[in-house]
Amino acid sequence: MSREISLAEVKKHNKANDLWVVIEDKVYDLTKFKQEHPGGEDSLISVAGRNGTREFLDVGHSQEAREIMKKFLIGNLAAADIKKKGAVG
Ligand code: HEM
């Protein structure tokens, strides 16, 4: 199964060329996806290294987007960090 990744670890990957994002308690490495993202690179860079769930949901992404994102899943957010839900990563 996929590994557990802490928010502290996610925060280290906060650059365009090393871009991890938390969406709905799952961690995605979007470094390679950003050039293909129909919503542009900048939107992904703006949430690099943090929780981008709100931004992702605000767009109202399609089912197709949900399929694509599976390819970039690298792990689950660590249980200890999931409890801090309201917090902005
Ligand atoms: C793995 C994560 C993501 C995937 C696979 C993804 C994929 C897509 C796809 C396929 C579209 C085209 C429209 C659709 O099918 O819904 C899209 C549009 C868009 N996405 Fe993402 N996206 C991701 C994350 C994000 C995040 C985190 C943000 C914001 C920070 C974002 C912002 C946008 C915007 C602004 C659009 C354009 C909407 C429009 O043209 O009206 N996306 N994305």
Side-chain angles (χ1 to χ4, degrees):
M1 268 301 285
S2 49
R3 68 180 177 118
E4 280 219 330
I5 302 172
S6 68
L7 201 52
E9 174 71 19
V10 173
K11 280 182 185 173
K12 296 178 192 167
H13 304 270
N14 61 357
K15 297 179 278 296
N17 63 353
D18 183 11
L19 200 172
W20 292 10
V21 181
V22 177
I23 299 171
E24 294 175 329
D25 301 332
K26 292 189 166 65
V27 182
Y28 298 88
D29 181 347
L30 302 180
T31 311
K32 295 203 173 92
F33 176 64
K34 67 175 186 300
Q35 280 104 328
E36 301 167 31
H37 182 220
E41 293 182 45
D42 288 351
S43 58
L44 298 185
I45 292 167
S46 74
V47 295
R50 68 170 177 92
N51 194 325
T53 304
R54 186 163 15 94
E55 288 84 348
F56 179 84
L57 295 177
D58 280 352
V59 171
H61 280 88
S62 65
Q63 196 52 46
E64 192 195 340
R66 295 247 172 208
E67 284 300 316
I68 296 167
M69 68 199 284
K70 288 179 191 169
K71 290 192 286 182
F72 302 97
L73 180 67
I74 55 170
N76 294 315
L77 189 62
D81 288 327
I82 288 176
K83 286 180 195 134
K84 302 175 204 160
K85 256 205 165 127
V88 175

